[in-house]
Amino acid sequence: SQFKQVNFDCVNINTGMKEELTIDLNQKTCFYFGRKSSNDFTRDDQHMSGTHSRIYFENGKFILEDLDSTNG
């Protein structure tokens, strides 16, 4: 079988909270989530840590990583 290369410009993430996040992969390939304003996506939620998790693209796959946060 042949494999088809797929190029992504962006990925949309449904947060389950009536909003959708769009990640522009032309700008960067690693995005951080948490309460701190230094994250790419922030949420003022007591259940989230300052830097809670990240999504990154590696070897053709998206990986969601919990950053061993206290609220993870």
PDB file of all heavy atoms in Angstrom, residues 49-71:
ATOM      1  N   SER A  49      -3.506  23.679  36.496  1.00  0.00           N
ATOM      2  CA  SER A  49      -2.252  24.191  37.061  1.00  0.00           C
ATOM      3  C   SER A  49      -1.769  25.372  36.238  1.00  0.00           C
ATOM      4  O   SER A  49      -2.291  25.659  35.160  1.00  0.00           O
ATOM      5  CB  SER A  49      -1.186  23.093  37.062  1.00  0.00           C
ATOM      6  OG  SER A  49      -1.555  22.076  37.944  1.00  0.00           O
ATOM      7  N   GLY A  50      -0.727  26.033  36.744  1.00  0.00           N
ATOM      8  CA  GLY A  50      -0.151  27.171  36.032  1.00  0.00           C
ATOM      9  C   GLY A  50       0.249  26.808  34.624  1.00  0.00           C
ATOM     10  O   GLY A  50      -0.082  27.491  33.661  1.00  0.00           O
ATOM     11  N   THR A  51       0.985  25.741  34.467  1.00  0.00           N
ATOM     12  CA  THR A  51       1.281  25.142  33.162  1.00  0.00           C
ATOM     13  C   THR A  51       0.874  23.686  33.266  1.00  0.00           C
ATOM     14  O   THR A  51       1.536  22.883  33.915  1.00  0.00           O
ATOM     15  CB  THR A  51       2.768  25.279  32.789  1.00  0.00           C
ATOM     16  OG1 THR A  51       3.111  26.664  32.805  1.00  0.00           O
ATOM     17  CG2 THR A  51       3.036  24.717  31.405  1.00  0.00           C
ATOM     18  N   HIS A  52      -0.232  23.356  32.670  1.00  0.00           N
ATOM     19  CA  HIS A  52      -0.909  22.091  32.896  1.00  0.00           C
ATOM     20  C   HIS A  52      -0.498  20.993  31.914  1.00  0.00           C
ATOM     21  O   HIS A  52      -0.211  19.872  32.308  1.00  0.00           O
ATOM     22  CB  HIS A  52      -2.418  22.338  32.801  1.00  0.00           C
ATOM     23  CG  HIS A  52      -3.259  21.247  33.341  1.00  0.00           C
ATOM     24  ND1 HIS A  52      -3.606  21.172  34.665  1.00  0.00           N
ATOM     25  CD2 HIS A  52      -3.827  20.189  32.734  1.00  0.00           C
ATOM     26  CE1 HIS A  52      -4.363  20.101  34.861  1.00  0.00           C
ATOM     27  NE2 HIS A  52      -4.506  19.490  33.703  1.00  0.00           N
ATOM     28  N   SER A  53      -0.483  21.346  30.626  1.00  0.00           N
ATOM     29  CA  SER A  53      -0.196  20.339  29.601  1.00  0.00           C
ATOM     30  C   SER A  53       0.313  21.023  28.343  1.00  0.00           C
ATOM     31  O   SER A  53       0.313  22.244  28.237  1.00  0.00           O
ATOM     32  CB  SER A  53      -1.456  19.524  29.284  1.00  0.00           C
ATOM     33  OG  SER A  53      -2.484  20.377  28.819  1.00  0.00           O
ATOM     34  N   ARG A  54       0.735  20.201  27.400  1.00  0.00           N
ATOM     35  CA  ARG A  54       1.154  20.731  26.110  1.00  0.00           C
ATOM     36  C   ARG A  54       0.753  19.762  25.017  1.00  0.00           C
ATOM     37  O   ARG A  54       0.585  18.558  25.250  1.00  0.00           O
ATOM     38  CB  ARG A  54       2.654  20.985  26.059  1.00  0.00           C
ATOM     39  CG  ARG A  54       3.502  19.735  26.019  1.00  0.00           C
ATOM     40  CD  ARG A  54       4.972  20.089  25.905  1.00  0.00           C
ATOM     41  NE  ARG A  54       5.787  18.880  25.914  1.00  0.00           N
ATOM     42  CZ  ARG A  54       6.912  18.733  25.248  1.00  0.00           C
ATOM     43  NH1 ARG A  54       7.378  19.724  24.518  1.00  0.00           N
ATOM     44  NH2 ARG A  54       7.597  17.616  25.313  1.00  0.00           N
ATOM     45  N   ILE A  55       0.591  20.290  23.833  1.00  0.00           N
ATOM     46  CA  ILE A  55       0.375  19.495  22.623  1.00  0.00           C
ATOM     47  C   ILE A  55       1.522  19.826  21.696  1.00  0.00           C
ATOM     48  O   ILE A  55       1.850  20.998  21.488  1.00  0.00           O
ATOM     49  CB  ILE A  55      -0.955  19.831  21.944  1.00  0.00           C
ATOM     50  CG1 ILE A  55      -2.134  19.389  22.824  1.00  0.00           C
ATOM     51  CG2 ILE A  55      -1.042  19.169  20.572  1.00  0.00           C
ATOM     52  CD1 ILE A  55      -3.474  19.725  22.241  1.00  0.00           C
ATOM     53  N   TYR A  56       2.151  18.781  21.170  1.00  0.00           N
ATOM     54  CA  TYR A  56       3.227  19.029  20.217  1.00  0.00           C
ATOM     55  C   TYR A  56       3.146  18.015  19.091  1.00  0.00           C
ATOM     56  O   TYR A  56       2.507  16.978  19.196  1.00  0.00           O
ATOM     57  CB  TYR A  56       4.594  19.018  20.891  1.00  0.00           C
ATOM     58  CG  TYR A  56       4.979  17.719  21.568  1.00  0.00           C
ATOM     59  CD1 TYR A  56       5.800  16.806  20.928  1.00  0.00           C
ATOM     60  CD2 TYR A  56       4.545  17.428  22.858  1.00  0.00           C
ATOM     61  CE1 TYR A  56       6.170  15.628  21.550  1.00  0.00           C
ATOM     62  CE2 TYR A  56       4.916  16.256  23.479  1.00  0.00           C
ATOM     63  CZ  TYR A  56       5.716  15.358  22.830  1.00  0.00           C
ATOM     64  OH  TYR A  56       6.081  14.187  23.442  1.00  0.00           O
ATOM     65  N   PHE A  57       3.779  18.362  17.991  1.00  0.00           N
ATOM     66  CA  PHE A  57       3.778  17.541  16.787  1.00  0.00           C
ATOM     67  C   PHE A  57       5.152  16.934  16.627  1.00  0.00           C
ATOM     68  O   PHE A  57       6.159  17.638  16.609  1.00  0.00           O
ATOM     69  CB  PHE A  57       3.434  18.413  15.570  1.00  0.00           C
ATOM     70  CG  PHE A  57       3.160  17.633  14.325  1.00  0.00           C
ATOM     71  CD1 PHE A  57       1.989  16.921  14.177  1.00  0.00           C
ATOM     72  CD2 PHE A  57       4.075  17.620  13.299  1.00  0.00           C
ATOM     73  CE1 PHE A  57       1.727  16.212  13.015  1.00  0.00           C
ATOM     74  CE2 PHE A  57       3.837  16.918  12.137  1.00  0.00           C
ATOM     75  CZ  PHE A  57       2.655  16.211  11.991  1.00  0.00           C
ATOM     76  N   GLU A  58       5.212  15.600  16.570  1.00  0.00           N
ATOM     77  CA  GLU A  58       6.494  14.912  16.457  1.00  0.00           C
ATOM     78  C   GLU A  58       6.326  13.635  15.635  1.00  0.00           C
ATOM     79  O   GLU A  58       5.407  12.857  15.883  1.00  0.00           O
ATOM     80  CB  GLU A  58       6.993  14.565  17.856  1.00  0.00           C
ATOM     81  CG  GLU A  58       8.356  13.911  17.886  1.00  0.00           C
ATOM     82  CD  GLU A  58       8.810  13.666  19.312  1.00  0.00           C
ATOM     83  OE1 GLU A  58       9.404  14.582  19.897  1.00  0.00           O
ATOM     84  OE2 GLU A  58       8.536  12.569  19.833  1.00  0.00           O
ATOM     85  N   ASN A  59       7.209  13.434  14.679  1.00  0.00           N
ATOM     86  CA  ASN A  59       7.196  12.227  13.841  1.00  0.00           C
ATOM     87  C   ASN A  59       5.829  11.948  13.238  1.00  0.00           C
ATOM     88  O   ASN A  59       5.354  10.819  13.221  1.00  0.00           O
ATOM     89  CB  ASN A  59       7.678  11.018  14.641  1.00  0.00           C
ATOM     90  CG  ASN A  59       9.104  11.159  15.107  1.00  0.00           C
ATOM     91  OD1 ASN A  59       9.939  11.712  14.399  1.00  0.00           O
ATOM     92  ND2 ASN A  59       9.385  10.696  16.308  1.00  0.00           N
ATOM     93  N   GLY A  60       5.175  13.007  12.762  1.00  0.00           N
ATOM     94  CA  GLY A  60       3.897  12.851  12.073  1.00  0.00           C
ATOM     95  C   GLY A  60       2.694  12.653  12.974  1.00  0.00           C
ATOM     96  O   GLY A  60       1.618  12.334  12.488  1.00  0.00           O
ATOM     97  N   LYS A  61       2.863  12.859  14.305  1.00  0.00           N
ATOM     98  CA  LYS A  61       1.759  12.651  15.238  1.00  0.00           C
ATOM     99  C   LYS A  61       1.622  13.826  16.195  1.00  0.00           C
ATOM    100  O   LYS A  61       2.616  14.457  16.553  1.00  0.00           O
ATOM    101  CB  LYS A  61       1.972  11.394  16.082  1.00  0.00           C
ATOM    102  CG  LYS A  61       2.034  10.107  15.301  1.00  0.00           C
ATOM    103  CD  LYS A  61       2.122   8.926  16.236  1.00  0.00           C
ATOM    104  CE  LYS A  61       3.529   8.814  16.789  1.00  0.00           C
ATOM    105  NZ  LYS A  61       3.741   7.585  17.561  1.00  0.00           N
ATOM    106  N   PHE A  62       0.391  14.078  16.614  1.00  0.00           N
ATOM    107  CA  PHE A  62       0.147  15.028  17.684  1.00  0.00           C
ATOM    108  C   PHE A  62       0.186  14.286  19.007  1.00  0.00           C
ATOM    109  O   PHE A  62      -0.388  13.211  19.148  1.00  0.00           O
ATOM    110  CB  PHE A  62      -1.221  15.698  17.531  1.00  0.00           C
ATOM    111  CG  PHE A  62      -1.267  16.661  16.394  1.00  0.00           C
ATOM    112  CD1 PHE A  62      -1.810  16.286  15.184  1.00  0.00           C
ATOM    113  CD2 PHE A  62      -0.756  17.932  16.526  1.00  0.00           C
ATOM    114  CE1 PHE A  62      -1.853  17.161  14.129  1.00  0.00           C
ATOM    115  CE2 PHE A  62      -0.784  18.823  15.470  1.00  0.00           C
ATOM    116  CZ  PHE A  62      -1.346  18.435  14.272  1.00  0.00           C
ATOM    117  N   ILE A  63       0.867  14.853  19.985  1.00  0.00           N
ATOM    118  CA  ILE A  63       1.009  14.217  21.291  1.00  0.00           C
ATOM    119  C   ILE A  63       0.526  15.193  22.359  1.00  0.00           C
ATOM    120  O   ILE A  63       0.962  16.352  22.388  1.00  0.00           O
ATOM    121  CB  ILE A  63       2.469  13.812  21.560  1.00  0.00           C
ATOM    122  CG1 ILE A  63       2.903  12.808  20.491  1.00  0.00           C
ATOM    123  CG2 ILE A  63       2.634  13.253  22.960  1.00  0.00           C
ATOM    124  CD1 ILE A  63       4.373  12.515  20.458  1.00  0.00           C
ATOM    125  N   LEU A  64      -0.377  14.742  23.217  1.00  0.00           N
ATOM    126  CA  LEU A  64      -0.835  15.522  24.358  1.00  0.00           C
ATOM    127  C   LEU A  64      -0.110  15.017  25.571  1.00  0.00           C
ATOM    128  O   LEU A  64      -0.156  13.827  25.888  1.00  0.00           O
ATOM    129  CB  LEU A  64      -2.351  15.368  24.544  1.00  0.00           C
ATOM    130  CG  LEU A  64      -2.932  15.982  25.810  1.00  0.00           C
ATOM    131  CD1 LEU A  64      -2.727  17.486  25.826  1.00  0.00           C
ATOM    132  CD2 LEU A  64      -4.412  15.630  25.913  1.00  0.00           C
ATOM    133  N   GLU A  65       0.597  15.901  26.259  1.00  0.00           N
ATOM    134  CA  GLU A  65       1.409  15.513  27.408  1.00  0.00           C
ATOM    135  C   GLU A  65       0.970  16.266  28.657  1.00  0.00           C
ATOM    136  O   GLU A  65       0.917  17.502  28.660  1.00  0.00           O
ATOM    137  CB  GLU A  65       2.883  15.818  27.112  1.00  0.00           C
ATOM    138  CG  GLU A  65       3.800  15.495  28.250  1.00  0.00           C
ATOM    139  CD  GLU A  65       5.247  15.856  27.956  1.00  0.00           C
ATOM    140  OE1 GLU A  65       5.506  16.664  27.041  1.00  0.00           O
ATOM    141  OE2 GLU A  65       6.121  15.327  28.656  1.00  0.00           O
ATOM    142  N   ASP A  66       0.653  15.527  29.706  1.00  0.00           N
ATOM    143  CA  ASP A  66       0.406  16.125  31.016  1.00  0.00           C
ATOM    144  C   ASP A  66       1.770  16.453  31.593  1.00  0.00           C
ATOM    145  O   ASP A  66       2.653  15.597  31.630  1.00  0.00           O
ATOM    146  CB  ASP A  66      -0.337  15.134  31.893  1.00  0.00           C
ATOM    147  CG  ASP A  66      -0.668  15.684  33.276  1.00  0.00           C
ATOM    148  OD1 ASP A  66      -0.109  16.722  33.667  1.00  0.00           O
ATOM    149  OD2 ASP A  66      -1.495  15.072  33.956  1.00  0.00           O
ATOM    150  N   LEU A  67       1.956  17.656  32.060  1.00  0.00           N
ATOM    151  CA  LEU A  67       3.261  18.092  32.542  1.00  0.00           C
ATOM    152  C   LEU A  67       3.433  17.858  34.035  1.00  0.00           C
ATOM    153  O   LEU A  67       4.091  18.614  34.727  1.00  0.00           O
ATOM    154  CB  LEU A  67       3.487  19.561  32.179  1.00  0.00           C
ATOM    155  CG  LEU A  67       3.523  19.830  30.684  1.00  0.00           C
ATOM    156  CD1 LEU A  67       3.606  21.314  30.386  1.00  0.00           C
ATOM    157  CD2 LEU A  67       4.676  19.085  30.029  1.00  0.00           C
ATOM    158  N   ASP A  68       2.846  16.748  34.529  1.00  0.00           N
ATOM    159  CA  ASP A  68       2.929  16.371  35.938  1.00  0.00           C
ATOM    160  C   ASP A  68       2.500  17.522  36.850  1.00  0.00           C
ATOM    161  O   ASP A  68       3.096  17.774  37.888  1.00  0.00           O
ATOM    162  CB  ASP A  68       4.337  15.908  36.314  1.00  0.00           C
ATOM    163  CG  ASP A  68       4.716  14.624  35.588  1.00  0.00           C
ATOM    164  OD1 ASP A  68       3.814  13.783  35.375  1.00  0.00           O
ATOM    165  OD2 ASP A  68       5.894  14.485  35.220  1.00  0.00           O
ATOM    166  N   SER A  69       1.453  18.182  36.414  1.00  0.00           N
ATOM    167  CA  SER A  69       0.932  19.302  37.193  1.00  0.00           C
ATOM    168  C   SER A  69       0.245  18.807  38.454  1.00  0.00           C
ATOM    169  O   SER A  69      -0.194  17.662  38.529  1.00  0.00           O
ATOM    170  CB  SER A  69      -0.054  20.103  36.350  1.00  0.00           C
ATOM    171  OG  SER A  69      -1.108  19.266  35.926  1.00  0.00           O
ATOM    172  N   THR A  70       0.141  19.655  39.439  1.00  0.00           N
ATOM    173  CA  THR A  70      -0.504  19.258  40.692  1.00  0.00           C
ATOM    174  C   THR A  70      -2.010  19.063  40.508  1.00  0.00           C
ATOM    175  O   THR A  70      -2.631  18.341  41.269  1.00  0.00           O
ATOM    176  CB  THR A  70      -0.265  20.302  41.797  1.00  0.00           C
ATOM    177  OG1 THR A  70      -0.706  21.578  41.327  1.00  0.00           O
ATOM    178  CG2 THR A  70       1.190  20.379  42.176  1.00  0.00           C
ATOM    179  N   ASN A  71      -2.575  19.691  39.493  1.00  0.00           N
ATOM    180  CA  ASN A  71      -4.017  19.550  39.235  1.00  0.00           C
ATOM    181  C   ASN A  71      -4.296  18.644  38.045  1.00  0.00           C
ATOM    182  O   ASN A  71      -5.398  18.650  37.526  1.00  0.00           O
ATOM    183  CB  ASN A  71      -4.655  20.928  38.995  1.00  0.00           C
ATOM    184  CG  ASN A  71      -4.619  21.769  40.228  1.00  0.00           C
ATOM    185  OD1 ASN A  71      -4.731  21.264  41.329  1.00  0.00           O
ATOM    186  ND2 ASN A  71      -4.464  23.064  40.067  1.00  0.00           N
TER     187      ASN A  71
END
